[in-house]
Amino acid sequence: MQCFRRQPKRSVSQENILREQSRRVAALNGIRLGLKDDKDLKFLLKGSQLLKVKSASWRKERFYKLQEDCKTIWQESKKMLRSPESQIFSIEDIRDVRSGHKTEGMEKYAKDVPEYRCFSIIFKDQRKNLDLIASSEDDANHWISGLGKIIAHSNSMNQKQKLQHWIHTCLRKADKNKDNKMSLKELKNFLKEVNIEVDDYHAKKIFQHCDKSKTEALEDDEIEEFYKILTERKEIDKIFQKYSDAEGFMSCQNLVRFLYETQQEEDAVVAAPALIQRYEPNERAKRGNAMTKDGFLMYLLSDDGNIFNTSHRKVYQDMTQPLSHYLVSSSHNTYLMEDQITGPSSTEAYIRALTKGCRCVELDCWDGPNSEPVIYHGYTLTSKILFSDVIKAIKNYAFKTSPYPVIISLENHCSVDQQKVMAQHMTTILQDMLLVAPVDGNKSQFPSPEQLKGKILVKGKKLSRQEDLTGTNGNNNLEAEDVSDEDEAAEIEDESVKTEIQQKGKSDTLKLAKELSDTVVYCKSVHFNGFEDPSHPRAFYEMSSFTESKALKLAQESGTSFIHHNIRHLSRIYPAGWRTDSSNYNPIDLWNVGCQIVALNFQTAGTEMDVYQGRFQDNGFSGYVLKPEFLRDEQTKFNPKSITEGTWGTKKKLLLKIISGQQLPKVNKSKNSIVDPKVTVEIHGVQQDNNKKQTKVIENNGFNPKWDEEFTFDVEIPALALVRFVVEDFDMSTKNDFIGQYTLPFTSLKQGYRHIHLLTKNGDPYSSSTLFVYIDIQDCD
């Protein structure tokens, strides 16, 4: 039985004082967010009763309230022995706030409630959506608008403001008796809270240095002094001193010199005055066109000081080439939230994939009740969702992240009647978005992503007598005919699936309805019968799907032929049948031979997905990345498995220094658990370039660890290489725990002193966790 220590009861005056202090702290945090006296913020801080919806029979009233830190929401719970931590969630964990019936839960269980009272909180990780009903339209609007403002304002804070907010929140948390003072014991608890272990001697030394009043407690200015000591960046002070004068100012001329010499910025003369205006907080320095140490730090922590080239955050590549010249961000079995055998299917999985930049989604279609096709992983126990609901979700979210075309990859197992229903749903729901005829009458090669902006293409089987892409030259009286059935679900290596297939019986052919065939224009699915004979070329719009093992075998044995095939045709790759846990394969080897639609399980975090998202954050996160010239050239002799002399780009030498880390998150939430971080740098590319090196372990310091370690990497084919930085919590007895990572294309690296803003396991940014590094790229002799 768990015992609880009874807290001493506070007097009414004490309660009033604490309430007033809490109000002041909340007001201060509101000002930090730029939401002073905001009505929505005040409402959220007061809190309100909301109905939480879980199912048709579970709808219960709970109290929700924004905490004084303006960063966390407290939710009432009726569960016995529930820990206080489980009753709060962070604003940073919220991906989206949707009004009305915009989740599956709301669609199913809250249709009886007016949309204007309903809203849903969508989380970044795999957590279930929080579906809520307010008592009035006004209350719902306060929550939707208030949360939206806090998220937007939090995201627009600079790194220094985020750090300040976080530290003051941790200070408040450590102040157990809420007297706005900090005892030595509270200081030590605070240091553990921010992920740093300091022995008693050093903790006491810092405390005594700041305790100018000798009262055995830090308050006001003394806490600020402690904050300054804690956030000191000596490694940056050292760089700043080299370029600043005796008064602590870096002139615009010296900033130009730093940008040009160290940061390798070609437009340094233009950039320097703009950076001063953008990041310098001191008005006197700004008027004198100079930068202080604070402004310099803010610049280095900003997008302009990021390791990722900011010009690559927008679409900068040529988008007018044929579709087959691009790598396309693609998802496998998009409907699945978890594993391939028993996990749930959900329209939410499509929304998540599309908002992550995915441009090719997969739909496994089967006959459903009431003549409505359903989507699920055939022969398995995965749950079923309506085809029409998925098409609606695709329509609503296809172009929120990127304007470039979305490909619907159909795996069709339906009867002719339900195929007609599928075609009707796509036509009526998608309307003008659905591509139903060649662009500008082009029937000789793929149109470009630019020409296909805002369009949804269907990949699937097509009737053999409709070879002109539209069916107008074929037999228009043809209602349906047999086509080969490509059944990926039947490849799953699972005994229950094999038994199910044996019992049902499986045909190698499928009758295809003309109406569904007509929706396929540029992506006709065909079986792969070997690379084409030049004297009998295949139609450019015919494309094949390959299991990862078949594709890797082709890449290994016929790399150059595969590259040539992928210049004119699209190739789709999907995970092997034994990956029932939804694990992923490495996409690099397939990109290296020009395969465009390399489909991964987006719901599964790991190195493969990190590399995938790293590749597609390039070119404005558009979901389309132009292949290098040597993967598009009809005369190319490039083979990634046997690199010879050729026009593959200049070999590079990467000189890299891992200097320090900042505010690394706790892996184990236990109060006494402090991380022991180490950094691994990995190169992913052609076989010769694959490499990794790691730093030493820093014990008991996740707050400001310092490594100062240098590494060198030779990179043969920079255009195909990605660089991954991984931070782990070292554990001698078990597997190291993941802390954070960041992956980017080699060609997107910025040089000089740069911050790396770390991402979570699911690819979302931490608010203030960074690595500080130095990068130098040289041409190899």
Side-chain angles (χ1 to χ4, degrees):
M1 181 178 170
Q2 189 172 346
C3 296
F4 296 93
R5 184 181 293 171
R6 188 182 293 277
Q7 296 293 320
K9 195 174 179 183
R10 298 189 183 103
S11 67
V12 174
S13 61
Q14 283 176 321
E15 287 289 348
N16 288 338
I17 290 166
L18 285 173
R19 203 172 290 119
E20 178 57 27
Q21 283 177 354
S22 178
R23 190 195 63 76
R24 280 206 306 269
V25 169
L28 183 63
N29 284 324
I31 292 166
R32 284 197 185 111
L33 280 170
L35 293 171
K36 184 183 179 183
D37 297 328
D38 183 85
K39 286 180 183 175
D40 293 323
L41 184 70
K42 284 182 176 178
F43 179 88
L44 266 58
L45 286 163
K46 190 178 173 186
S48 75
Q49 295 285 352
L50 296 168
L51 278 176
K52 183 177 179 180
V53 181
K54 278 190 178 180
S55 68
S57 59
W58 201 104
R59 189 186 285 185
K60 296 182 181 177
E61 198 169 73
R62 296 286 184 262
F63 188 75
Y64 288 82
K65 178 186 182 299
L66 179 68
Q67 303 279 74
E68 64 190 31
D69 60 4
C70 296
K71 281 179 65 175
T72 48
I73 303 281
W74 180 83
Q75 52 186 339
E76 177 190 16
S77 175
K78 304 287 186 186
K79 287 183 182 175
M80 290 291 288
L81 305 180
R82 188 168 178 179
S83 67
E85 289 77 19
S86 66
Q87 287 184 252
I88 60 172
F89 61 85
S90 172
I91 297 284
E92 288 170 9
D93 294 337
I94 299 174
R95 183 180 300 285
D96 192 15
V97 182
R98 295 185 203 150
S99 59
H101 303 143
K102 300 242 173 56
T103 62
E104 281 178 324
M106 282 303 201
E107 277 281 339
K108 285 181 186 173
Y109 313 129
K111 277 293 194 183
D112 59 314
V113 181
E115 283 208 71
Y116 57 73
R117 283 176 49 203
C118 300
F119 67 99
S120 301
I121 293 173
I122 317 301
F123 294 101
K124 287 177 180 173
D125 51 25
Q126 302 297 329
R127 227 180 314 181
K128 288 180 181 174
N129 300 336
L130 182 56
D131 293 324
L132 300 164
I133 300 170
S135 57
S136 69
E137 184 177 3
D138 279 352
D139 281 12
N141 287 339
H142 278 309
W143 277 102
I144 296 162
S145 177
L147 288 172
K149 285 179 197 172
I150 295 168
I151 292 165
H153 284 254
S154 295
N155 289 342
S156 64
M157 285 170 107
N158 64 45
Q159 286 297 120
K160 195 172 180 187
Q161 288 170 323
K162 286 179 182 175
L163 173 60
Q164 197 174 23
H165 194 166
W166 176 66
I167 284 182
H168 280 282
T169 300
C170 292
L171 282 167
R172 181 82 180 150
K173 203 170 173 182
D175 182 13
K176 296 295 181 190
N177 59 2
K178 306 297 179 204
D179 62 356
N180 283 340
K181 297 176 184 177
M182 187 178 282
S183 65
L184 177 59
K185 185 181 177 184
E186 286 173 334
L187 178 134
K188 281 154 72 174
N189 286 337
F190 164 79
L191 290 171
K192 285 178 182 172
E193 189 68 41
V194 298
N195 212 358
I196 182 169
E197 181 76 68
V198 178
D199 61 42
D200 287 353
Y201 171 77
H202 281 100
K204 196 168 185 180
K205 197 174 171 185
I206 296 169
F207 185 82
Q208 287 172 342
H209 173 81
C210 297
D211 185 18
K212 310 289 186 195
S213 59
K214 306 298 180 195
T215 57
E216 296 295 313
L218 306 186
E219 49 188 311
D220 302 329
D221 291 346
E222 294 170 339
I223 290 176
E224 286 303 313
E225 174 70 14
F226 169 65
Y227 168 80
K228 280 178 185 169
I229 291 171
L230 199 63
T231 57
E232 200 172 27
R233 296 284 303 272
K234 287 181 181 174
E235 71 275 35
I236 288 177
D237 293 351
K238 194 174 168 185
I239 303 162
F240 182 78
Q241 282 163 12
K242 188 179 171 185
Y243 292 90
S244 61
D245 60 25
E247 288 184 40
F249 291 104
M250 184 188 287
S251 67
C252 187
Q253 191 177 351
N254 278 348
L255 179 57
V256 168
R257 196 159 59 87
F258 169 74
L259 293 173
Y260 188 74
E261 293 173 356
T262 307
Q263 304 294 81
Q264 304 290 304
E265 300 283 8
E266 292 175 7
D267 61 345
V269 175
V270 176
L275 292 176
I276 289 168
Q277 291 305 309
R278 199 174 301 147
Y279 301 115
E280 180 49 58
N282 183 309
E283 287 301 323
R284 182 187 153 210
K286 201 185 275 189
R287 282 194 301 272
N289 207 17
M291 200 174 244
T292 62
K293 190 165 66 176
D294 279 350
F296 187 63
L297 174 59
M298 285 172 76
Y299 149 65
L300 286 173
L301 281 167
S302 74
D303 254 6
D304 290 300
N306 200 314
I307 193 170
F308 184 79
N309 188 334
T310 51
S311 68
H312 293 187
R313 287 196 197 283
K314 58 181 185 290
V315 174
Y316 69 95
Q317 295 175 343
D318 178 7
M319 301 302 280
T320 63
Q321 302 210 20
L323 199 65
S324 54
H325 287 193
Y326 299 83
L327 304 181
V328 184
S329 179
S330 309
S331 159
H332 170 248
N333 288 355
T334 314
Y335 47 89
L336 293 177
M337 300 285 280
E338 294 170 12
D339 67 71
Q340 306 284 311
I341 305 294
T342 60
S345 305
S346 172
T347 56
E348 198 60 49
Y350 286 91
I351 295 169
R352 287 183 182 183
L354 289 166
T355 51
K356 280 187 173 181
C358 179
R359 299 289 85 192
C360 180
V361 293
E362 186 177 359
L363 285 67
D364 283 2
C365 310
W366 300 77
D367 280 356
N370 307 316
S371 300
E372 283 292 340
V374 294
I375 290 173
Y376 82 111
H377 206 189
Y379 318 113
T380 71
L381 299 175
T382 56
S383 63
K384 298 170 184 178
I385 49 178
L386 286 174
F387 176 84
S388 59
D389 286 346
V390 170
I391 298 301
K392 285 173 193 168
I394 292 170
K395 179 193 177 182
N396 292 333
Y397 288 88
F399 305 111
K400 282 191 183 291
T401 299
S402 166
Y404 292 102
V406 167
I407 300 169
I408 290 177
S409 179
L410 286 183
E411 189 173 309
N412 167 30
H413 306 278
C414 292
S415 61
V416 168
D417 286 344
Q418 294 215 12
Q419 288 177 41
K420 291 177 181 178
V421 175
M422 286 165 61
Q424 187 183 0
H425 281 321
M426 287 194 285
T427 306
T428 55
I429 294 168
L430 299 176
Q431 297 179 339
D432 290 347
M433 286 182 181
L434 184 66
L435 187 80
V436 291
V439 176
D440 299 333
N442 187 351
K443 298 178 186 179
S444 59
Q445 68 169 14
F446 281 111
S448 69
E450 190 64 35
Q451 289 174 296
L452 292 167
K453 262 185 174 177
K455 289 294 181 184
I456 294 173
L457 286 67
V458 176
K459 170 202 159 293
K461 291 289 179 181
K462 196 162 180 67
L463 296 175
S464 59
R465 299 181 205 182
Q466 294 183 301
E467 289 302 287
D468 72 330
L469 299 179
T470 61
T472 51
N473 295 340
N475 182 353
N476 284 329
N477 297 319
L478 190 71
E479 287 301 315
E481 77 172 22
D482 287 340
V483 294
S484 64
D485 182 19
E486 293 178 4
D487 190 354
E488 290 172 20
E491 297 173 21
I492 294 177
E493 293 180 20
D494 180 82
E495 287 306 315
S496 61
V497 170
K498 288 176 182 174
T499 304
E500 182 78 8
I501 293 167
Q502 284 170 356
Q503 287 173 353
K504 285 188 175 179
K506 185 181 173 302
S507 170
D508 291 333
T509 60
L510 173 87
K511 204 165 276 299
L512 178 66
K514 178 181 180 298
E515 289 85 347
L516 191 60
S517 173
D518 286 347
T519 65
V520 177
V521 179
Y522 284 118
C523 302
K524 178 189 175 184
S525 296
V526 297
H527 186 71
F528 181 74
N529 292 313
F531 297 119
E532 69 186 20
D533 178 349
S535 61
H536 296 91
R538 276 169 45 184
F540 74 92
Y541 53 80
E542 291 186 345
M543 64 174 290
S544 301
S545 292
F546 306 85
T547 184
E548 63 176 274
S549 51
K550 174 77 179 288
L552 286 168
K553 189 170 188 286
L554 288 171
Q556 182 72 40
E557 296 174 1
S558 315
T560 307
S561 297
F562 210 171
I563 289 168
H564 279 275
H565 174 83
N566 289 325
I567 291 170
R568 193 159 174 266
H569 299 277
L570 290 172
S571 291
R572 175 178 166 270
I573 321 299
Y574 59 93
W578 58 265
R579 295 186 184 276
T580 55
D581 59 351
S582 294
S583 61
N584 281 314
Y585 57 95
N586 185 349
I588 298 276
D589 287 339
L590 299 160
W591 288 334
N592 289 350
V593 289
C595 294
Q596 304 89 348
I597 301 175
V598 180
L600 293 199
N601 293 303
F602 269 48
Q603 72 272 34
T604 307
T607 304
E608 297 82 11
M609 202 62 213
D610 294 343
V611 166
Y612 206 85
Q613 290 297 88
R615 170 56 72 201
F616 285 106
Q617 72 164 314
D618 195 8
N619 202 31
F621 201 53
S622 63
Y624 285 85
V625 172
L626 185 64
K627 293 192 274 189
E629 174 65 33
F630 55 83
L631 293 182
R632 296 180 274 126
D633 177 10
E634 302 271 3
Q635 308 304 317
T636 190
K637 292 184 172 61
F638 180 74
N639 184 345
K641 297 297 177 187
S642 175
I643 306 289
T644 55
E645 289 301 314
T647 55
W648 328 133
T650 310
K651 297 177 191 175
K652 302 287 184 183
K653 189 178 284 291
L654 171 63
L655 304 169
L656 176 66
K657 186 176 185 181
I658 305 290
I659 302 169
S660 60
Q662 294 75 41
Q663 294 85 59
L664 303 178
K666 279 193 168 200
V667 176
N668 185 334
K669 296 300 178 190
S670 159
K671 189 171 121 181
N672 293 315
S673 174
I674 310 295
V675 300
D676 304 323
K678 71 163 191 166
V679 181
T680 304
V681 183
E682 303 168 350
I683 305 292
H684 297 261
V686 295
Q687 203 166 334
Q688 291 97 310
D689 290 342
N690 291 338
N691 200 351
K692 69 176 178 180
K693 297 179 181 181
Q694 57 191 40
T695 66
K696 60 182 178 285
V697 175
I698 303 292
E699 292 187 359
N700 291 326
N701 187 352
F703 184 74
N704 55 5
K706 291 183 175 54
W707 289 279
D708 281 324
E709 290 190 58
E710 295 181 4
F711 305 113
T712 303
F713 296 92
D714 290 324
V715 181
E716 188 97 12
I717 313 289
L720 297 178
L722 291 108
V723 187
R724 181 172 182 252
F725 298 85
V726 194
V727 188
E728 293 177 306
D729 178 16
F730 178 74
D731 195 313
M732 197 174 289
S733 56
T734 60
K735 189 183 172 194
N736 296 338
D737 287 318
F738 174 91
I739 293 176
Q741 70 84 30
Y742 188 78
T743 308
L744 74 166
F746 185 92
T747 51
S748 295
L749 280 169
K750 290 290 278 184
Q751 298 190 66
Y753 290 101
R754 302 286 169 180
H755 277 97
I756 299 170
H757 296 259
L758 295 172
L759 304 177
T760 66
K761 190 183 286 185
N762 292 305
D764 298 305
Y766 284 115
S767 63
S768 53
S769 299
T770 53
L771 292 177
F772 187 51
V773 300
Y774 177 76
I775 305 277
D776 184 28
I777 300 170
Q778 299 172 0
D779 291 348
C780 286
D781 298 332

